Amino acid sequence: MTNIENYVINKLKGFHVPFYLCVSGNSMVPIIKNGDRILVEPYMKNAPRPGEIIVYRKFSDHLTVHRVVNIVRLSKTRFYCETKGDNNVEADSYKVFNHEIIGTVNLKGVYKNGHG
């Protein structure tokens, strides 16, 4: 990961107000489509609930937007999420740990195909 990528991710994690991201990909169709802008509520340390859509950084080259299907508690402050794209056949093969979460998607703030 480059210094610029690290800088951007650290800034996103430090946001305390909602912000918009443009989605690239179709894993969340039909709720979120390629080109949609989504409103992200910053992650505030509380575990998301199953059914919520989260934005997270699991891979160095992109953020992912998938739905939480299960939460596994490891301690009072540590947990991981099991996730799945709505348009994907199977759940993700990896775990999303709480320190990888950027925020949750506010579905009232989705702008279809980049148009408000």
Side-chain angles (χ1 to χ4, degrees):
M1 185 172 357
T2 68
N3 288 339
I4 293 171
E5 290 169 329
N6 276 327
Y7 175 80
V8 170
I9 293 306
N10 287 334
K11 285 294 184 186
L12 286 176
K13 284 186 168 188
F15 278 10
H16 298 291
V17 296
F19 58 93
Y20 282 93
L21 286 177
C22 185
V23 173
S24 174
N26 292 308
S27 67
M28 288 301 294
V29 168
I31 301 295
I32 301 169
K33 296 179 180 142
N34 189 48
D36 287 353
R37 286 184 298 142
I38 58 171
L39 181 61
V40 180
E41 304 280 346
Y43 172 60
M44 297 296 187
K45 307 300 179 210
N46 294 326
R49 292 180 300 269
E52 284 189 294
I53 299 171
I54 61 173
V55 177
Y56 56 92
R57 180 156 187 103
K58 186 72 185 173
F59 307 100
S60 64
D61 63 341
H62 66 277
L63 298 176
T64 304
V65 178
H66 278 177
R67 191 176 300 276
V68 174
V69 294
N70 190 34
I71 303 285
V72 176
R73 283 259 171 219
L74 302 172
S75 71
K76 276 189 166 186
T77 58
R78 292 188 64 234
F79 63 88
Y80 67 82
C81 301
E82 295 171 343
T83 56
K84 179 184 178 296
D86 288 359
N87 196 34
N88 294 346
V89 175
E90 297 182 13
D92 299 326
S93 61
Y94 51 81
K95 301 168 182 169
V96 179
F97 291 90
N98 52 308
H99 69 274
E100 298 170 319
I101 299 172
I102 303 292
T104 57
V105 175
N106 179 337
L107 290 175
K108 293 178 182 172
V110 173
Y111 288 88
K112 297 298 181 185
N113 296 319
H115 302 285

